[in-house]
């Protein structure tokens, strides 16, 4: 299996795929037809020339994924909002969706506020709250190691509880099915098979480079980083402990990005071991899709990515390796 430089995410009744600065989002509209939107998004990583800067590129790649992810989710949801509000007025859902996808200054401001608010909530819930809860045990033990472990356990419990709770929502279950379609389609390409709904259905709905795996690695690394940091640099002030945790989050995200990218490219046993917990967690964040969902994923892929050329390049490389070895 060879690494294809394409990724994406599930949206409302559809799939977004991204390759470099190009992306396409395909939505299954209420009338059953597919709407494919192709566009470009100049990432912060490329704008700031960080593609070859380890750790730092991961921080900005995470921000890029959040911005584009929220934007495409909003776009896909607009088809179903318009069905309820605009159809009676005679407005075509796709026309209204197109208007909403414009890049006005006001929309960019709203998007920026949304991303910032999402980050604040995530950091507060999964980084700061576990520390505050673990501090309640400080009157029982003064061991920073033990308190760090308690904080880590609380963080894992909160993260797992969040995943389990959202996975019970009916609308989210549909999104998770499209998430599975995204993974199956990419796995199909990377295994060298012809990209069709029938072929893609045969492949796994789990993938090493999934955002779920990334978040798991972030949670795990945060436990290690916080314990080690405060062992090496003891801090007594509560406010300063919180601030340091917040400042370490970008570093942890950057390291997690490097790990997941390496694991996605590697076929070694160690990479498989590292990837296993995150892929197991994908049992909660993906569902088996139907072929119509995979059609949406394929439509997004083919709008921006020449998967046939990728497979031909891989086969040519393998043949060259065989000749060299012989």
């Amino acid at each position: 299996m060879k690494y294809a430089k394409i990724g994406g995410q599930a949206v409302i009744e559809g799939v977004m795929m991204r390759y470099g600065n190009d992306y396409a989002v395909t939505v299954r509209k209420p009338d059953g037809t597919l709407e494919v939107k192709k566009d470009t998004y100049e990432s912060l990583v490329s704008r700031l020339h960080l593609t070859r800067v380890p750790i730092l590129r991961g921080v900005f790649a995470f921000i890029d994924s959040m911005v584009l992810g929220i934007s495409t989710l909003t776009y896909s949801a607009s088809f179903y909002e318009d069905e309820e509000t605009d159809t009676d007025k005679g407005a075509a859902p796709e026309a209204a969706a197109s208007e909403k996808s414009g890049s006005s200054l006001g929309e960019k401001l709203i998007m920026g506020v949304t991303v910032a608010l999402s980050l604040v909530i995530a950091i507060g819930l999964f980084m700061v709250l576990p520390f505050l809860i673990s501090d309640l045990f400080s009157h029982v033990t003064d061991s920073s190691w033990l308190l760090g472990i308690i904080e880590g356990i609380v963080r894992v419990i909160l993260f797992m509880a969040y995943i389990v709770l959202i996975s019970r929502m009916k609308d989210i279950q549909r999104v998770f099915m499209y998430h599975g379609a995204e993974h199956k389609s990419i796995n199909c390409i990377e295994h060298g098979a012809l990209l069709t709904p029938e072929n893609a259905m045969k492949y796994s709905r789990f993938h090493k480079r999934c955002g779920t795996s990334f978040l798991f690695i972030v949670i795990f690394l945060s436990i290690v980083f916080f314990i080690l940091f405060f062992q090496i640099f003891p801090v007594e002030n509560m406010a300063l402990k919180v601030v340091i945790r917040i400042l370490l989050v970008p570093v942890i995200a950057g390291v997690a990005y490097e790990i997941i990218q390496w694991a996605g490219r590697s076929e070694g046993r160690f990479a498989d071991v590292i990837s296993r917990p995150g892929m197991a967690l994908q049992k909660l964040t993906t569902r088996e899709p139907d072929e119509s969902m995979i059609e949406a994923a394929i439509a997004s892929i083919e709008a921006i990515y020449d998967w046939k050329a990728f497979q031909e390049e891989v086969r040519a490389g393998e043949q060259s390796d065989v000749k060299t070895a012989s």
Side-chain angles (χ1 to χ4, degrees):
M1 188 178 82
K2 296 297 181 180
Y3 170 72
K5 297 179 180 179
I6 185 170
Q9 73 167 53
V11 296
I12 306 298
E13 292 300 323
V15 176
M16 180 273 287
M17 290 290 186
R18 182 180 176 188
Y19 177 63
N21 286 335
D22 295 325
Y23 76 91
V25 54
T26 300
V27 179
R28 179 76 65 180
K29 297 192 295 184
D31 63 6
T33 60
L34 291 176
E35 179 79 9
V36 182
K37 173 191 173 185
K38 178 183 176 182
D39 207 340
T40 59
Y41 172 77
E42 188 179 4
S43 65
L44 288 170
V45 175
S46 60
R47 262 186 283 173
L48 299 175
H49 307 289
L50 299 174
T51 53
R52 297 185 181 276
V53 184
I55 312 299
L56 196 57
R57 63 188 173 188
V59 176
F60 288 96
F62 176 62
I63 296 172
D64 283 330
S65 67
M66 286 197 67
V67 172
L68 186 57
I70 292 173
S71 174
T72 52
L73 272 171
T74 302
Y75 169 77
S76 65
S78 66
F79 286 94
Y80 290 85
E81 293 169 359
D82 291 332
E83 181 191 22
E84 297 174 0
T85 60
D86 292 339
T87 303
D88 293 339
K89 300 176 183 179
E94 58 267 31
S98 178
E99 288 180 16
K100 291 182 181 180
S101 64
S103 57
S104 68
L105 180 61
E107 288 175 334
K108 288 182 178 180
L109 179 60
I110 292 172
M111 186 61 62
V113 171
T114 302
V115 171
L117 185 60
S118 299
L119 285 171
V120 168
I121 293 173
I123 291 172
L125 180 61
F126 298 118
M127 296 298 168
V128 178
L129 181 59
F131 163 64
L132 297 178
I133 292 175
S134 68
D135 189 64
L136 298 175
F137 293 86
S138 59
H139 67 281
V140 178
T141 178
D142 59 358
S143 169
S144 59
W145 279 95
L146 184 55
L147 290 174
I149 291 171
I150 293 172
E151 178 184 349
I153 292 172
V154 172
R155 183 171 294 113
V156 171
I157 290 173
L158 286 175
F159 180 64
M160 292 297 296
Y162 170 77
I163 295 294
V164 170
L165 285 174
I166 66 170
S167 68
R168 294 178 178 273
M169 299 170 62
K170 187 172 292 186
D171 289 342
I172 295 299
Q173 288 175 5
R174 293 280 299 176
V175 173
F176 285 173
M177 290 174 75
Y178 279 101
H179 190 189
E182 174 216 338
H183 286 179
K184 281 177 174 283
S185 300
I186 295 176
N187 277 324
C188 182
I189 293 172
E190 294 184 334
H191 281 84
L194 190 66
L195 185 58
T196 64
E198 295 80 12
N199 283 345
M201 285 292 289
K202 301 172 187 175
Y203 290 93
S204 173
R205 73 176 200 261
F206 311 128
H207 199 280
K208 288 182 181 179
R209 290 184 287 111
C210 174
T212 304
S213 296
F214 170 79
L215 291 176
F216 176 83
I217 293 174
V218 167
I219 295 296
F220 176 77
L221 287 179
S222 68
I223 299 171
V224 177
F225 269 59
F226 294 159
I227 289 177
L228 291 179
F229 183 91
F230 290 105
Q231 281 293 313
I232 299 171
F233 306 103
V235 176
E236 297 299 328
N237 184 276
M238 278 286 291
L240 186 56
K241 287 181 179 180
V242 171
V243 170
I244 290 172
R245 279 169 169 79
I246 294 172
L247 293 177
L248 282 175
V249 169
V251 179
I252 293 169
V255 174
Y257 174 85
E258 299 300 331
I259 291 173
I260 201 168
Q261 290 296 314
W262 166 78
R265 290 180 172 89
S266 175
E267 297 181 31
R269 183 173 297 179
F270 185 55
D272 289 340
V273 170
I274 289 178
S275 301
R276 201 167 294 160
M279 293 180 74
L281 195 58
Q282 290 173 40
K283 292 180 180 180
L284 293 175
T285 62
T286 64
R287 295 284 188 275
E288 283 294 330
D290 58 38
E291 289 190 7
S292 70
M293 294 174 174
I294 292 182
E295 286 176 1
I298 292 175
S300 286
I301 291 172
E302 293 187 331
I304 58 169
Y305 187 71
D306 189 346
W307 59 270
K308 292 181 181 178
F310 163 75
Q311 292 181 342
E312 288 173 3
E313 183 180 335
V314 170
R315 282 192 287 270
E318 290 173 346
Q319 290 172 0
S320 176
D321 291 343
V322 171
K323 290 179 180 178
T324 302
S326 60

